[in-house]
Amino acid sequence: VVLLYTTGIKVGELLRLTLSDYSAEEKVLSVHKPGGKTRSLSVPESAGPILDDYILVRSQKSKTCDPPTELLFLNRDCSPISVRSIRRKLKEYGKKAGLLFPITPEVLRRSHAVKMLGKGVGIEQLARQMGYLSVAAFKQQMEMNESNRMKDEV
């Protein structure tokens, strides 16, 4: 959940990450896109220690996985985490927090974009970082998300 918000990574990309996609020294994730392209995402200071601690636990857990897997995020039974289970957890966390609107991976991704724009990150840089092919596609997605959010609030 922390990585969804702090990096703006897509949930599908997050769930495809492997242990070797993270450089603990550089605090960078390598996100592999279809077509063999890779983009690097910096892991913010606030998320680095959380991810490092998780990887320590995950490394111990992987010793019990049969068959072994390189996937970074696993369920307790060593099976891959699904998008559906992420959505369920976010819904649960939102209810516990008393939020009046649903938290989804897309909401966290959009919140990351809004936060970064507010910090003065250029729209071109942010669009690239978030994996958009063009600034126009990024703007269109942001507008679509805003429109859907408004509908949800009504």
Side-chain angles (χ1 to χ4, degrees), residues 11-18 21 31-34 71-73:
V11 69
E13 293 171 336
L14 179 80
L15 297 179
R16 286 190 300 272
L17 290 172
T18 64
D21 289 332
V31 179
H32 305 284
K33 298 174 67 172
L71 286 175
L72 183 55
F73 296 104

Side-chain angles (χ1 to χ4, degrees), residues 83-101:
V83 173
R84 185 175 178 195
S85 65
I86 295 284
R87 289 184 184 284
R88 254 187 307 211
K89 275 291 182 196
L90 288 173
K91 185 175 181 180
E92 177 186 319
Y93 296 153
K95 281 184 180 179
K96 281 184 182 178
L99 299 177
L100 301 175
F101 56 90

Side-chain angles (χ1 to χ4, degrees), residues 1-5 8-11 14 83-95 99 101-112 141 145 148-149 152:
V1 173
V2 171
L3 288 176
L4 289 170
Y5 175 70
I9 192 170
K10 296 174 187 173
V11 69
L14 179 80
V83 173
R84 185 175 178 195
S85 65
I86 295 284
R87 289 184 184 284
R88 254 187 307 211
K89 275 291 182 196
L90 288 173
K91 185 175 181 180
E92 177 186 319
Y93 296 153
K95 281 184 180 179
L99 299 177
F101 56 90
I103 298 296
T104 65
E106 296 78 19
V107 166
L108 294 176
R109 184 168 159 82
R110 182 181 187 286
S111 297
H112 169 76
Q141 187 65 45
N145 286 344
N148 289 341
R149 190 180 66 79
D152 289 344

Side-chain angles (χ1 to χ4, degrees), residues 15 24-25 47 52 55 65 79 96 99 101 131-132 137 139 151:
L15 297 179
E25 298 80 34
D52 292 339
I55 287 176
C65 293
S79 64
K96 281 184 182 178
L99 299 177
F101 56 90
Y132 287 93
K139 286 180 177 178
K151 288 178 193 172

Side-chain angles (χ1 to χ4, degrees), residues 6-67:
T6 61
T7 66
I9 192 170
K10 296 174 187 173
V11 69
E13 293 171 336
L14 179 80
L15 297 179
R16 286 190 300 272
L17 290 172
T18 64
L19 289 168
S20 59
D21 289 332
Y22 177 58
S23 169
E25 298 80 34
E26 297 175 24
K27 300 292 186 234
V28 170
L29 289 167
S30 294
V31 179
H32 305 284
K33 298 174 67 172
K37 292 185 180 183
T38 301
R39 77 176 192 280
S40 296
L41 282 179
S42 295
V43 175
E45 264 184 50
S46 60
I50 296 167
L51 184 55
D52 292 339
D53 289 348
Y54 172 80
I55 287 176
L56 281 175
V57 172
R58 164 64 179 83
S59 296
Q60 292 301 313
K61 180 185 183 96
S62 67
K63 293 176 183 174
T64 64
C65 293
D66 186 28

